[in-house]
């Protein structure tokens, strides 16, 4: 319990990230924690469920809430992802909205901005413009201005999770608006997610990186076995569910090459995240239309928290 003792003036609270898919929410949390706890991919809708990333500092505990990207849903899964994101914002002590500087504001950014305007009076809100490392200098001021028109009242900070721009400033701005309070988690805790759920997300992220079009979005991962083999390694068996027979062929690939590629990618990510050797066995099964089926969604843990 000694570790829970903190100095006077200690601050703590939940900092929910808001943003359309792909703006870099999960990447930012991984960077701030210095550890890969959240799955990241170049494709939108990588994060499907809320996940905490806990940063313990001497004078504050920042509990980041990674959320699914807010988007126009095409099925029940998408609706549940949006609900989960929006309810996380409502319950937060601070909301950090992210917008991607590499692209002009779109409709989804507009939706995020509308939500921010709605909660601005009730919850402290900060805005960060992400991926500044990828914007040429002569483009920067126009891009900034385009996002500022979405939220004229707010302060903006340009950040880069890859290069590290303004991340210390971001932490300081969050600390300044966090409420006073004790540590809510032991300092060694960095996430509330189970290793097996992180592994499942990393398998899906590997599929998102390697498969094209809609196929990787129709996948769900179930971990069938997660077994410690010895003190240095773990054995994982997982099933990749697809919605249609034709997708099964695509995920497996000619002679199993695609499944092998996904497995190798995922294994490396899980090894980096869990800091041990991983043996990974994947199989593929068809589960027709699971993204629109309440019971199947529930079995994958969507809507679990009653949101
Ligand atoms: N160059 C650059 N790329 C970034 C930065 N932050 C994120 N990315 C890339 O942007 C892509 C999306 O990042 P994610 O962290 O998965 O985005 P997200 O907002 O969590 O997306 P969803 O989970 O789909 O809502 C990945 O390819 C990242 O590597 C950054 O600061 N600079
Ligand atoms: Mg994410």
């Amino acid at each position: 319990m000694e570790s829970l003792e903190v100095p006077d003036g200690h601050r703590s609270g939940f900092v929910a990230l808001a943003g359309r898919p792909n703006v870099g929410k999960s990447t930012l949390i991984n960077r701030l924690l210095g550890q890969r706890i959240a799955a990241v991919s170049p494709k939108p809708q990588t994060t499907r469920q809320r996940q905490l990333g806990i940063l313990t500092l001497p004078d504050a505990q920042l509990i980041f809430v990674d959320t699914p990207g807010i988007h126009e849903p095409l099925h029940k899964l998408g609706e549940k992802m949006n609900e989960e994101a929006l309810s996380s914002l409502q319950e937060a002590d601070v909301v950090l909205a992210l917008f991607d500087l590499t692209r002009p504001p779109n409709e989804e950014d507009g939706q995020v901005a509308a939500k921010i305007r709605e909660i601005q009076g009730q919850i402290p809100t900060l805005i960060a413009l992400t991926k500044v490392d990828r914007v040429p200098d002569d483009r920067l001021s126009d891009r900034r201005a385009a996002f500022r028109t979405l939220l004229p009242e707010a302060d903006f900070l340009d950040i880069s999770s890859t290069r590290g721009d303004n991340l210390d400033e971001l932490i300081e701005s969050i600390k300044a608006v966090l409420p006073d309070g004790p540590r809510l988690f032991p300092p060694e805790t960095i996430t509330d997610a189970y290793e097996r759920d992180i592994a499942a997300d990393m398998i899906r992220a590997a599929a998102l990186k390697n498969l094209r079009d809609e196929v990787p979005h129709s996948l769900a991962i179930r971990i069938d076995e997660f077994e410690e083999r010895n003190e240095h390694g773990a054995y994982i068996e997982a099933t990749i569910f697809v919605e249609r027979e034709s997708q099964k062929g695509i995920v497996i690939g000619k002679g199993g090459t695609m499944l092998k590629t996904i497995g190798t990618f995922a294994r490396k990510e899980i090894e980096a995240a869990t800091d041990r050797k991983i043996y990974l066995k994947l199989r593929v099964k068809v589960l027709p239309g699971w993204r629109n089926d309440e019971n199947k969604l529930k079995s994958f843990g969507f809507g679990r928290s009653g949101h």
Side-chain angles (χ1 to χ4, degrees), residues 46-287:
T46 301
T47 304
R48 282 180 174 168
Q49 281 171 309
R50 172 188 163 284
Q51 181 184 353
L52 301 183
I54 303 156
L55 179 63
T56 300
L57 303 171
D59 56 349
Q61 191 170 60
L62 283 60
I63 305 157
F64 291 101
V65 186
D66 193 4
T67 63
I70 293 167
H71 64 288
E72 205 54 61
L74 297 173
H75 34 64
K76 284 201 176 116
L77 169 64
E79 287 169 19
K80 288 189 190 299
M81 286 162 59
N82 276 349
E83 281 165 23
E84 179 136 321
L86 295 173
S87 66
S88 301
L89 306 188
Q90 215 70 55
E91 292 161 10
D93 296 298
V94 177
V95 171
L96 171 60
L98 304 186
F99 297 97
D100 181 347
L101 271 173
T102 66
R103 296 199 218 165
N106 67 5
E107 232 169 84
E108 292 168 339
D109 291 312
Q111 255 177 284
V112 174
K115 184 69 192 171
I116 297 302
R117 282 195 295 272
E118 191 185 311
I119 58 180
Q120 243 168 359
Q122 312 152 33
I123 304 171
T125 303
L126 303 166
I127 317 286
L129 302 177
T130 62
K131 309 187 192 178
V132 66
D133 59 288
R134 280 192 34 209
V135 186
D137 284 345
D138 57 348
R139 274 278 191 81
L140 205 49
S141 62
D142 280 359
R143 239 342 119 66
R144 270 196 207 113
F147 283 107
R148 271 169 212 270
T149 57
L150 284 180
L151 288 160
E153 313 270 301
D155 287 329
F156 285 71
L157 198 61
D158 294 343
I159 62 165
S160 165
S161 298
T162 50
R163 210 166 56 185
D165 302 27
N166 278 333
L167 298 182
D168 292 340
E169 288 78 356
L170 179 64
I171 300 267
E172 288 308 313
S173 325
I174 295 170
K175 271 164 54 173
V177 290
L178 266 187
D180 285 337
R183 280 185 184 155
L184 301 171
F185 289 89
E188 64 279 5
T189 304
I190 57 162
T191 182
D192 65 333
Y194 292 109
E195 258 184 353
R196 55 188 300 139
D197 293 330
I198 295 176
D201 261 6
M202 287 181 170
I203 295 167
R204 207 165 42 77
L208 279 163
K209 276 180 199 139
N210 288 286
L211 293 165
R212 288 172 39 203
D213 306 324
E214 180 57 12
V215 179
H217 292 294
S218 63
L219 305 186
I221 313 298
R222 185 184 69 200
I223 303 293
D224 301 311
E225 247 186 272
F226 197 125
E227 196 184 285
E228 302 301 326
R229 272 285 159 90
N230 53 51
E231 61 183 39
H232 301 296
Y235 173 76
I236 304 174
E237 241 181 76
T239 304
I240 300 178
F241 291 101
V242 293
E243 289 194 309
R244 291 196 298 272
E245 198 61 42
S246 60
Q247 294 170 334
K248 186 173 167 179
I250 295 171
V251 173
I252 293 171
K254 256 204 189 102
T257 47
M258 180 50 81
L259 193 60
K260 201 165 170 200
T261 304
I262 293 170
T264 306
F265 255 78
R267 178 175 55 74
K268 287 184 185 154
E269 285 291 312
I270 301 167
E271 283 179 341
T274 64
D275 207 19
R276 60 185 187 292
K277 186 136 187 61
I278 295 292
Y279 307 87
L280 178 63
K281 192 176 163 197
L282 298 175
R283 67 172 75 81
V284 186
K285 280 191 185 161
V286 183
L287 190 62

Side-chain angles (χ1 to χ4, degrees), residues 21-22 24-27 38-41 45-48 66-69:
N22 205 247
K25 299 178 293 297
S26 303
T27 307
V40 162
S41 96
Q45 297 175 33
T46 301
T47 304
R48 282 180 174 168
D66 193 4
T67 63

